[in-house]
Amino acid sequence: MQILQIGKAMWSYDHEIAACTLIDAAGGLFSLTPPPHHREGEIILTTGTLVIDGYNYLNIPLNQLEQVYLGFDEVYKRSLIKNNGTFWQPLRLRYKVADGHNTIYLMIDNGFFGTKNQLWFDTLKQLLADD
């Protein structure tokens, strides 16, 4: 399979973000601190799968994706990050698993002025549209 994109990802499951307390989330409001997340690793997108490899390993076949969404919602709120999302928005992926589905929030190639989430969102959207 052809590698389409590679980056550094910070990510969390929806239930982990939902369980963040005000104190947990407050760190993301200050300069030079990353947004709330629970895992980090390298993210690789191929024509058939999305892999995150780091302390934890996650492999999501693209045909298992149910939803690709760029933006804030009731779980990952604007208030969790500095500047209320002026420079970036989380990338939310919902995918099928044996007992239902999982939802993760990604911040890819996070830097001083935001992330590359828009690029990854556009690429995923195009790949899914081509199927």
Side-chain angles (χ1 to χ4, degrees), residues 3-70:
I3 294 176
L4 302 175
Q5 290 180 187
I6 297 175
K8 295 291 180 188
M10 297 183 293
W11 62 284
S12 294
Y13 288 101
D14 57 343
H15 59 88
E16 294 170 325
I17 294 296
C20 282
T21 66
L22 184 58
I23 293 170
D24 295 331
L29 300 176
F30 299 101
S31 294
L32 305 177
T33 58
H37 67 284
H38 296 83
R39 296 169 175 75
E40 295 182 19
E42 183 176 54
I43 187 167
I44 301 166
L45 177 63
T46 71
T47 54
T49 191
L50 181 81
V51 174
I52 305 173
D53 193 10
Y55 182 75
N56 300 102
Y57 180 83
L58 184 62
N59 183 349
I60 305 170
L62 296 184
N63 64 3
Q64 298 299 308
L65 283 174
E66 294 179 339
Q67 182 185 60
V68 178
Y69 175 78
L70 183 67

Side-chain angles (χ1 to χ4, degrees), residues 4 10 18 30-33 41 46 48 56 67 74 77 79-80 88 93 95 108 120-121 125-126 131:
L4 302 175
M10 297 183 293
F30 299 101
S31 294
L32 305 177
T33 58
T46 71
N56 300 102
Q67 182 185 60
E74 65 281 348
K77 300 175 179 145
S79 60
L80 292 176
W88 70 274
L93 303 179
Y95 59 96
I108 303 170
W120 284 73
F121 173 74
K125 197 167 71 168
Q126 183 64 46
D131 282 345

